């Protein structure tokens, strides 16, 4: 009987393990941390044959837990074991565990282009996929050369410059540097920090292409446009997405672009991939990044409404080698929007939603609560999932949610509310 070892801690499951568990057919074992354990419902916990809470949740502790699990369950045939994850932060850990215990699946070299943004751009460039100009931030050079190093960066990249970690997700700890003063200050603040890249700033519309790969073939492909680039979330703009119409002139170009990215990668592991790319003001498609995991946000819920299938569950099933044939499409089109926290304002989540589409609002911050400056897309007040059989109605509702709906109020307004 096969044993599937799941790694998950920071990212919350969007898969329903009650639909994935099959007692008597295979065993499900979860290696999680204190954060992941706290995020699990009792129903989810009951789906796993074994759960180990690893603290700290690092490579050493995961290796110890994996060794103990294999020994106690008397697992010696590694062909009967697989390591699965959908957690962006632990794709590399899963790959290293496969190497350490000779477990089949993608090794660290195969996963690296999906988790290190500089490495993935290098791979794309070799495959002739257009990428933004980007360089690693070298704090030792800044310490030695100071203004000369900053001047070199500015000449190579131009302003604005976009700073982000090479191994992060969710627009975490990003910065838009608009001039030489901002660049110099950022460099001083990040002295000794070596996991950042500095990129050419791209202006345009952001798209995501979500693929499901199984046994070397693309089984499903979802093409969607974001409301705003994800980085704008920390500037107070709502972020969400909706599927691209098959009649849209960009549809065929995005399909071809995803194929070009896959060709550049050469080896795409079974499971979901999440590609983000810009369509620039001068009509170019520029690669941003790709991940070997299901998409975040409420994208899985959106895809499930459209296709009847949860892409995160499909991602796990593909890694397990148990992906069923695709079902018929639902006939619906769906979208989602998340709203960021905004410093100096209060949540106003009792607004009516005069939408023609069916919808579900979910608020994570209490009505009237004071809000903070968001640091990533995790710092949200909530959002709306909407769906309809009419694309025109859905697109009109999506635009209203993005451009007009305001679930905020100023402190003075809040004080006058009953």
């Amino acid at each position: 009987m096969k044993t599937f070892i799941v790694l998950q801690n920071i990212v919350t499951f969007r898969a329903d393990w009650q639909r994935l568990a099959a007692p008597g057919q295979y065993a499900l074992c979860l290696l999680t941390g204190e954060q992941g354990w706290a995020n699990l419902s009792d129903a989810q916990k009951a789906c796993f044959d074994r759960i180990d809470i690893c603290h700290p949740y690092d490579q050493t502790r995961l290796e110890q837990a994996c060794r103990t699990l294999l020994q106690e369950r008397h697992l010696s045939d590694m062909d009967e074991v697989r390591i699965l994850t959908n957690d962006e932060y632990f794709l590399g850990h899963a790959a290293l565990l496969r190497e350490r215990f000779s477990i089949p699946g993608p090794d660290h070299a195969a996963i690296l282009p999906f988790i290190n943004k500089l490495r993935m751009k290098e791979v794309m460039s070799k495959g002739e996929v257009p990428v933004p100009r980007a360089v690693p931030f070298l704090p030792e050079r800044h310490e030695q050369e100071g203004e000369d190093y900053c001047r070199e960066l500015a000449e190579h990249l131009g302003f604005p410059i976009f700073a982000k970690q090479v191994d992060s997700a969710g627009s975490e700890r990003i910065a838009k540097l608009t001039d030489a003063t901002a660049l110099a200050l950022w460099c001083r603040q990040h002295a000794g920090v070596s996991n950042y890249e500095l990129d050419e700033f791209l202006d345009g519309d952001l798209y995501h292409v979500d693929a499901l790969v199984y046994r070397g073939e693309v089984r499903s492909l979802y093409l969607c446009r974001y409301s705003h680039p994800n980085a704008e979330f920390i500037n107070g703009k709502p972020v969400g997405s909706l599927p691209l119409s098959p009649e849209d002139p960009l549809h065929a170009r995005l399909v071809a672009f995803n194929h070009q990215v896959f060709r550049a990668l050469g080896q795409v592991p079974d499971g979901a991939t999440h590609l983000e790319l810009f369509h620039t003001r001068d009509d170019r498609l520029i690669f941003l990044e790709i991940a070997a995991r299901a998409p975040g946000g409420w994208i899985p819920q959106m895809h499930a409404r459209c296709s009847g299938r949860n892409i995160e569950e499909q991602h796990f099933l593909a890694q397990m080698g148990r992906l069923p044939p695709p079902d018929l499409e639902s006939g619906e089109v769906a979208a989602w929007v998340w709203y960021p926290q905004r410093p100096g304002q209060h949540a106003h989540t009792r607004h009516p939603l005069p939408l023609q589409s069916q919808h579900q609002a979910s608020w994570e911050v209490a009505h009237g609560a004071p809000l903070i400056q968001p640091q990533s897309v995790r710092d949200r007040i909530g959002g709306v999932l909407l769906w309809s059989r009419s694309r025109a109605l859905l697109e009109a509702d999506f635009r209203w949610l993005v451009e007009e709906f305001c679930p905020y109020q100023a402190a003075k307004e809040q004080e006058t509310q009953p």
Side-chain angles (χ1 to χ4, degrees):
M1 185 171 71
K2 284 191 177 295
T3 296
F4 299 111
I5 303 172
V6 182
L7 270 58
Q8 201 89 353
N9 188 34
I10 294 178
V11 176
T12 304
F13 284 125
R14 290 169 176 82
D16 183 353
W17 284 96
Q18 295 179 83
R19 291 200 290 264
L20 297 177
Q25 296 183 35
Y26 51 79
L28 288 174
C29 301
L30 176 64
L31 301 184
T32 190
E34 294 176 347
Q35 180 177 345
W37 173 259
N39 289 335
L40 283 174
S41 67
D42 290 340
Q44 295 281 62
K45 292 173 184 176
C47 296
F48 293 94
D49 299 87
R50 175 187 178 123
I51 299 178
D52 288 344
I53 302 175
C54 303
H55 182 73
Y57 200 81
D58 58 19
Q59 192 67 40
T60 300
R61 184 67 187 87
L62 286 171
E63 185 174 319
Q64 292 171 350
C66 193
R67 182 182 296 106
T68 300
L69 185 155
L70 295 174
Q71 290 173 349
E72 292 184 357
R73 298 184 71 86
H74 307 290
L75 296 170
S76 57
D77 183 359
M78 294 301 103
D79 285 338
E80 294 298 305
V81 180
R82 295 293 184 275
I83 294 182
L84 324 175
T85 190
N86 187 58
D87 197 319
E88 173 82 16
Y89 298 91
F90 303 107
L91 292 167
H93 295 68
L96 290 172
L97 288 176
R98 294 186 193 106
E99 291 184 13
R100 175 64 183 84
F101 296 102
S102 301
I103 296 172
D107 60 16
H108 197 262
I111 288 295
L112 188 60
F114 293 94
I115 58 178
N116 184 295
K117 294 177 176 58
L118 285 171
R119 175 59 181 153
M120 70 178 65
K121 290 184 181 70
E122 180 184 343
V123 170
M124 291 302 117
S125 294
K126 290 181 178 178
E128 299 183 347
V129 176
V131 298
R133 295 188 302 276
V135 296
F137 172 59
L138 304 175
E140 64 278 7
R141 281 201 59 192
H142 178 258
E143 182 180 1
Q144 295 169 3
E145 303 172 32
E147 291 183 5
D148 290 340
Y149 178 60
C150 291
R151 190 177 303 110
E152 179 184 314
L153 291 172
E155 290 174 355
H156 178 63
L157 299 172
F159 288 112
I161 292 173
F162 195 70
K164 60 182 177 181
Q165 294 174 309
V166 300
D167 53 0
S168 68
S171 298
E172 191 173 39
R173 297 185 179 91
I174 59 171
K176 181 181 178 182
L177 311 174
T178 57
D179 54 32
T181 301
L183 174 61
L185 175 61
W186 185 92
C187 289
R188 289 195 299 271
Q189 292 173 335
H190 291 79
V193 180
S194 59
N195 70 327
Y196 270 86
E197 63 175 295
L198 299 173
D199 293 10
E200 165 195 9
F201 184 81
L202 296 175
D203 185 23
D205 296 320
L206 185 64
Y207 290 79
H208 62 91
V209 179
D210 304 316
L212 186 71
V213 178
Y214 189 55
R215 295 176 179 171
E217 296 182 359
V218 176
R219 287 288 187 90
S220 303
L221 199 63
Y222 306 90
L223 316 175
C224 305
R225 177 173 59 83
Y226 281 111
S227 57
H228 295 105
N230 291 337
E232 294 294 334
F233 194 80
I234 64 172
N235 296 324
K237 293 185 179 180
V239 167
S241 64
L242 80 167
L244 201 63
S245 168
E247 287 75 38
D248 191 292
L250 278 179
H251 193 278
R253 291 177 63 186
L254 295 185
V255 172
F257 193 91
N258 188 77
H259 179 72
Q260 187 180 4
V261 168
F262 278 16
R263 189 170 61 242
L265 288 164
Q267 181 181 4
V268 179
D270 281 355
T273 59
H274 177 63
L275 166 67
E276 293 184 341
L277 66 149
F278 269 98
H279 179 225
T280 65
R281 304 299 179 209
D282 56 354
D283 196 32
R284 294 177 297 145
L285 296 181
I286 307 292
F287 173 91
L288 184 61
E289 57 188 59
I290 188 169
R293 56 163 174 80
W298 284 348
I299 298 174
Q301 291 90 325
M302 174 181 67
H303 291 336
R305 281 286 175 183
C306 296
S307 69
R309 300 180 294 275
N310 180 307
I311 192 171
E312 184 174 309
E313 293 174 11
Q314 291 180 298
H315 171 71
F316 282 116
L317 288 168
Q319 292 180 90
M320 295 161 71
R322 304 180 65 88
L323 186 71
D327 300 320
L328 294 175
E329 300 291 312
S330 70
E332 293 180 332
V333 62
W336 66 282
V337 183
W338 273 0
Y339 296 92
Q341 298 218 26
R342 288 183 178 176
Q345 295 191 312
H346 294 253
H348 187 39
T349 55
R350 294 177 182 167
H351 279 300
L353 294 175
L355 304 176
Q356 300 180 79
S357 306
Q358 297 183 71
H359 59 277
Q360 178 181 347
S362 178
W363 303 110
E364 301 172 32
V365 173
H367 176 80
L371 304 179
I372 63 170
Q373 171 63 44
Q375 301 300 315
S376 75
V377 293
R378 294 188 187 89
D379 297 325
R380 58 186 178 271
I381 64 171
V384 180
L385 179 70
L386 59 159
W387 61 95
S388 174
R389 290 188 173 273
S390 167
R391 176 176 289 274
L393 290 182
L394 183 97
E395 290 184 351
D397 286 339
F398 180 77
R399 285 195 300 271
W400 182 83
L401 286 169
V402 170
E403 298 172 5
E404 299 183 45
F405 180 52
C406 183
Y408 309 98
Q409 58 187 357
K412 290 184 178 179
E413 295 178 75
Q414 194 267 343
E415 289 172 2
T416 65
Q417 296 294 321

